[in-house]
Amino acid sequence: MKQYTAAALILALLGLMLCGCAHTSPELYSVTYWDLFDTVTTVTGRAESQEAFQSVAQGVYDTLLRYHRLFDIYNEYDGVANLKTVNDNAGVAPVAVDPEIIALLLDCREYASLTGGAVNVAMGSVLSLWHDAREADTPYVPDSGVLAEAALHCGWDTVIIDQTAGTVYITDPQQRLDVGAVAKGWAAQRAAEEAPEGLLISVGGNVCATGPKTEDGEAWVVGIQDPDGSSGYLHTLSLTAGAAVTSGDYQRCYTVDGVTYHHIIDPETGMPSEYWRSVTVICADSGLADVLSTALFVLPREYGQALLTQCGAEAMWVDSLGVQYYSPGFADYVRE
Ligand code: AMP
Ligand code: MG
């Protein structure tokens, strides 16, 4: 597991604040995990006893941990062929992988098509340049020529997903996969489907409800973080099912020569997208919500709204001046 950076710790605190809203009743239990998807995960829910809740939460954790290991591009695990293995074998050989990796990548290929390439997990070559620049002892801005060269290695025709053989092969030796825009929400969706009703699962900015907070249908309260961090929440939402996912420029960022660079990259430019400070998407499926929040972050609002309409989702955008924009049905979820 990578060391937590200051940015990750801030993200962690935001995640706790997000779930802190939900923990209001003595019948509720909550547990936090720090070792999944390089972010903070909180499971909250009703149970008859601490032991009963712990057992349910452990099930959610175990599912998320399995996906965390499979989708990790930085670390190897004994006996696991994961996405790092696939990346390391780019241009070398097909890798036999767990069917869940095949399932995720098939969905990601669909998502790239759905979003017109706005969310493209096959652009790991570009994303790794930004990752390395951000994580360096002295952070820097990737060279524009190197970024342009990497952008030539982001297509899907060089990612061979063989469902029959159960293998994935990146035929281009310079290409890499990075599923960071999708994996947390996708994994949370799977974990939610396996979990009992009445849980709130938060994986970083991805919050997913498996049913209402109480048996009489009371909704969970989920806060939307102010990207400025100054005034706490911009809104609180009522969620009884489905997911609320935020992509924000404050989540992983660094500053060079007074300019702040964040982690959501516009595939058109290879640079951090400049349209929005944050986008929150509400959608029945947590995986799709994760995809859409990243997609809308790198798209003008009219393109984003078209995607929302197509997917039956709602969103709130916040621009650089702090102005908030809403899709037509977003207000139905706003509590304050
Ligand atoms: P999210 O926080 O869900 O919006 O995802 C951000 C993460 O997804 C980044 O840390 C990158 O690893 C990755 N990423 C950034 N921009 C893109 C993009 N345009 N398409 C696919 N993945 C991206
Ligand atoms: Mg996302």
Side-chain angles (χ1 to χ4, degrees):
M1 204 61 223
K2 286 189 302 164
Q3 292 287 323
Y4 282 111
T5 60
L9 281 171
I10 290 166
L11 179 67
L13 290 171
L14 300 183
L16 284 174
M17 288 166 70
L18 201 65
C19 262
C21 276
H23 194 130
T24 54
S25 152
E27 297 89 20
L28 286 177
Y29 296 94
S30 190
V31 60
T32 299
Y33 305 104
W34 299 81
D35 58 349
L36 298 168
F37 297 101
D38 200 21
T39 188
V40 176
T41 296
T42 306
V43 181
T44 309
R46 284 174 286 111
E48 286 175 12
S49 65
Q50 173 77 46
E51 292 69 31
F53 173 74
Q54 201 60 45
S55 145
V56 167
Q58 185 67 42
V60 172
Y61 174 81
D62 291 345
T63 301
L64 293 173
L65 181 64
R66 191 172 80 244
Y67 290 125
H68 163 85
R69 290 182 170 162
L70 288 173
F71 304 158
D72 196 331
I73 61 171
Y74 301 110
N75 302 285
E76 295 169 354
Y77 304 93
D78 279 350
V80 178
N82 65 6
L83 285 181
K84 178 177 186 332
T85 323
V86 172
N87 279 344
D88 289 349
N89 280 281
V92 178
V95 177
V97 293
D98 189 290
E100 304 276 28
I101 288 186
I102 304 257
L104 174 77
L105 293 180
L106 290 172
D107 282 351
C108 287
R109 196 166 65 184
E110 286 294 316
Y111 294 148
S113 163
L114 171 76
T115 63
V119 173
N120 178 18
V121 311
M123 61 186 271
S125 54
V126 170
L127 298 173
S128 71
L129 292 172
W130 283 103
H131 175 269
D132 294 349
R134 187 175 67 238
E135 298 287 313
D137 288 341
T138 307
Y140 56 91
V141 181
D143 177 78
S144 59
V146 176
L147 281 169
E149 163 58 26
L152 302 174
H153 304 278
C154 298
W156 278 91
D157 50 344
T158 44
V159 181
I160 312 300
I161 305 168
D162 188 333
Q163 287 179 260
T164 312
T167 59
V168 179
Y169 182 29
I170 306 172
T171 59
D172 177 349
Q174 288 172 265
Q175 187 167 10
R176 298 291 180 271
L177 299 170
D178 176 338
V179 295
V182 180
K184 292 195 294 288
W186 197 93
Q189 179 65 29
R190 295 295 177 106
E193 284 167 10
E194 292 174 11
E197 275 200 12
L199 289 185
L200 194 71
I201 302 169
S202 169
V203 188
N206 295 246
V207 182
C208 187
T210 70
K213 184 166 80 169
T214 60
E215 275 169 12
D216 55 7
E218 188 187 337
W220 296 99
V221 181
V222 175
I224 299 181
Q225 186 69 38
D226 182 345
D228 273 335
S230 50
S231 60
Y233 301 118
L234 294 178
H235 288 292
T236 52
L237 305 176
S238 294
L239 206 65
T240 52
V245 175
T246 297
S247 289
D249 68 358
Y250 54 88
Q251 291 172 336
R252 281 166 210 262
C253 57
Y254 65 103
T255 302
V256 176
D257 295 336
V259 179
T260 299
Y261 299 87
H262 64 77
H263 67 137
I264 307 175
I265 305 304
D266 184 341
E268 296 283 326
T269 63
M271 298 295 289
S273 181
E274 292 184 353
Y275 289 111
W276 310 106
R277 295 225 47 211
S278 80
V279 178
T280 298
V281 168
I282 301 172
C283 176
D285 184 283
S286 161
L288 186 55
D290 199 357
V291 172
L292 290 174
S293 71
T294 309
L296 267 59
F297 196 95
V298 303
L299 290 171
R301 189 154 59 99
E302 58 273 26
Y303 285 70
Q305 181 56 59
L307 269 177
L308 293 173
T309 305
Q310 190 180 346
C311 298
E314 304 293 342
M316 174 182 131
W317 297 256
V318 182
D319 74 10
S320 59
L321 300 174
V323 180
Q324 299 164 24
Y325 303 86
Y326 306 91
S327 63
F330 192 84
D332 296 347
Y333 297 91
V334 175
R335 188 184 152 100
E336 279 176 29

